[in-house]
């Protein structure tokens, strides 16, 4: 069904979550064996930690950046980038902070939670490459602290990204979810916005999601990269 819908759709929007990244080898922090099962995120990945527990904050994000640099986009990211170039999909909304969609070549990407590919000064806002963290350089030229350009616990999501994601969802006549459990608000609202505006909703996730009952089509227990490869071959 998804293949036929892709061929006929005039405006296709994709939402990607952690399941898209885990196929590149990145850990899913929310899974039962993930980092959040062992550590309280508010103590290490929050605005409070940046101000009160800064050494642990820097150490945690340095390891995340090093882990990120040891991985790369997988075939699924590359296919989505090709499809955008060919006009098969119009935009990607992502919950991921790895920047792999852009690295694979996608242009129209809405990053709901920011990016780990950059760091910026908490004081003056100047941006730097994430190599600063790898090299244990945590201070800006102005003397301010460098922090990752991600949304920390205790911060609001960027308003411009939320508005753009809502606009894209409203325009969709096909909305595909790849690798999101759809438990986190407001990301889980975008498939519903698309559905309310008449879109066909397909959810592809390893496990069933809370929004499966609203979907026109669901796929469980399969790797995203494999599904995208099969679709890509069938579209040729």
């Amino acid at each position: 069904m998804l293949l036929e819908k892709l061929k006929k759709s005039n405006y296709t929007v994709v939402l990607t979550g952690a399941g898209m990244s885990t196929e590149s080898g990145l850990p899913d922090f929310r899974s039962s064996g993930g980092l959040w099962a062992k550590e309280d995120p508010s103590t290490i990945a929050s605005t409070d930690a940046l101000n009160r527990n800064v050494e642990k904050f820097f150490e945690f994000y340095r390891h995340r950046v090093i882990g990120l640099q040891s991985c790369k986009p997988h075939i699924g990211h590359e296919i989505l980038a090709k499809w955008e170039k060919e006009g098969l999909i119009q935009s990607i909304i992502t919950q991921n902070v790895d920047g792999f969609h852009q690295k694979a070549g996608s242009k129209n990407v809405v990053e709901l939670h920011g990016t780990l590919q950059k760091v910026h000064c908490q004081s003056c806002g100047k941006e730097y490459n994430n190599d600063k963290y790898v090299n244990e350089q945590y201070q800006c030229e102005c003397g301010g602290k460098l922090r990752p350009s991600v949304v920390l616990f205790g911060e609001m999501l960027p308003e411009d990204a939320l508005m753009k994601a809502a606009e894209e969802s409203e325009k969709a006549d096909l909305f595909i979810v790849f690798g999101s459990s759809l438990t986190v608000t407001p990301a889980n609202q975008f498939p519903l916005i698309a559905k309310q505006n008449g879109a066909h909703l397909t959810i592809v996730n390893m496990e069933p999601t809370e929004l499966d009952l609203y979907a026109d089509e669901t796929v469980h227990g399969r790797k995203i990269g494999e599904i995208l490869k099969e679709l890509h071959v069938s579209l040729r």
Side-chain angles (χ1 to χ4, degrees):
M1 194 197 300
L2 181 54
L3 180 64
E4 293 310 309
K5 290 291 177 185
L6 261 173
K7 287 177 180 174
K8 291 175 184 172
S9 172
N10 293 314
Y11 209 94
T12 298
V13 177
V14 169
L15 170 69
T16 62
M20 191 82 193
S21 294
T22 51
E23 288 184 30
S24 284
L26 289 171
D28 174 5
F29 291 110
R30 282 192 171 80
S31 68
S32 56
L35 185 71
W36 297 154
K38 301 169 194 163
E39 291 266 16
D40 177 358
S42 65
T43 65
I44 45 171
S46 63
T47 48
D48 191 52
L50 177 58
N51 295 317
R52 297 189 189 192
N53 198 2
V54 72
E55 283 182 19
K56 198 164 186 184
F57 178 93
F58 287 151
E59 183 191 4
F60 170 71
Y61 274 108
R62 180 171 181 265
H63 282 297
R64 280 200 70 184
V65 168
I66 289 168
L68 185 70
Q69 291 192 354
S70 69
C71 299
K72 61 181 183 179
H74 59 75
I75 186 74
H77 292 103
E78 290 165 11
I79 288 168
L80 289 177
K82 281 177 189 166
W83 285 2
E84 186 193 286
K85 207 172 178 182
E86 293 166 5
L88 268 172
I89 66 170
Q90 277 57 54
S91 63
I92 295 170
I93 303 165
T94 188
Q95 296 171 265
N96 301 329
V97 295
D98 50 49
F100 283 175
H101 286 300
Q102 292 93 326
K103 274 189 173 276
S106 293
K107 306 286 184 204
N108 196 10
V109 182
V110 181
E111 292 177 311
L112 295 175
H113 297 153
T115 180
L116 208 51
Q117 293 289 343
K118 294 175 190 167
V119 300
H120 68 270
C121 176
Q122 194 183 19
S123 302
C124 74
K126 184 173 179 180
E127 281 189 349
Y128 297 87
N129 187 281
N130 64 9
D131 283 340
K132 285 278 189 189
Y133 263 47
V134 177
N135 299 324
E136 299 183 61
Q137 297 167 344
Y138 305 120
Q139 204 171 42
C140 177
E141 293 165 0
C142 77
K145 281 183 280 197
L146 294 182
R147 51 154 294 176
S149 299
V150 296
V151 177
L152 302 174
F153 286 89
E155 290 183 322
M156 301 289 287
L157 267 60
E159 205 170 308
D160 55 345
L162 289 174
M163 282 178 63
K164 174 79 171 160
E167 285 168 11
E168 290 299 299
S169 302
E170 284 171 11
K171 285 192 265 186
D173 52 28
L174 172 59
F175 193 101
I176 312 168
V177 178
F178 283 120
S180 176
S181 59
L182 300 173
T183 54
V184 178
T185 305
N188 61 3
Q189 297 305 298
F190 300 122
L192 297 177
I193 291 170
K195 185 74 182 164
Q196 284 163 2
N197 283 271
H200 177 97
L201 175 60
T202 298
I203 299 175
V204 178
N205 195 53
M206 203 53 84
E207 306 287 336
T209 81
E210 291 173 15
L211 298 193
D212 282 4
L213 69 161
Y214 301 105
D216 299 287
E217 181 183 9
T218 58
V219 181
H220 299 139
R222 293 201 57 205
K223 287 193 170 183
I224 296 162
E226 287 174 5
I227 291 166
L228 283 165
K229 229 188 313 189
E230 282 174 18
L231 288 166
H232 192 58
V233 168
S234 300
L235 284 164
R236 297 304 97 191

